[in-house]
Amino acid sequence: MARMSPFFRRKAAPPGERSVTLVGRPGCHLCDDARTVVEKVCGELGVPWEEMDITRDKRLHDEYWEQIPVVLVDGEQHTFWRVDEGRLRTELTRN
């Protein structure tokens, strides 16, 4: 398998410079589970995170209503429905 040139590899910012957004809605049990994982991983790594409610934002609702919860890392979709703690930690700590 050919190796990708370092020029094309996406460089991640250090954990303190990353950001995570959890997109969900009240009363969603998967959102509650995702919040627990995001809170734990971000807390341990010192990564700021925020939560956005699709019931208060039409654009988010239109884009994500079938996928919630959705986790964005640095504004890009990382995962949806179930948040894997190891995968999120890897994404936030990769160089």
Side-chain angles (χ1 to χ4, degrees), residues 28-57:
C28 165
H29 73 282
L30 290 176
C31 300
D32 295 340
D33 295 345
R35 184 180 309 105
T36 300
V37 173
V38 169
E39 220 167 27
K40 177 182 180 186
V41 173
C42 288
E44 289 173 359
L45 297 176
V47 174
W49 71 280
E50 65 177 336
E51 192 165 356
M52 299 186 81
D53 179 351
I54 66 165
T55 67
R56 297 179 177 267
D57 186 314

Side-chain angles (χ1 to χ4, degrees), residues 9-85:
R9 288 189 199 134
R10 188 172 75 170
K11 289 282 189 176
E17 296 176 19
R18 310 296 302 268
S19 66
V20 173
T21 303
L22 173 61
V23 180
R25 68 174 173 78
C28 165
H29 73 282
L30 290 176
C31 300
D32 295 340
D33 295 345
R35 184 180 309 105
T36 300
V37 173
V38 169
E39 220 167 27
K40 177 182 180 186
V41 173
C42 288
E44 289 173 359
L45 297 176
V47 174
W49 71 280
E50 65 177 336
E51 192 165 356
M52 299 186 81
D53 179 351
I54 66 165
T55 67
R56 297 179 177 267
D57 186 314
K58 181 170 177 15
R59 183 190 63 79
L60 289 176
H61 179 273
D62 292 347
E63 189 167 349
Y64 297 119
W65 73 273
E66 290 182 322
Q67 297 179 339
I68 63 166
V70 174
V71 174
L72 309 175
V73 174
D74 300 333
E76 299 290 326
Q77 186 169 341
H78 169 72
T79 195
F80 62 97
W81 293 338
R82 302 251 182 224
V83 181
D84 180 88
E85 180 180 334

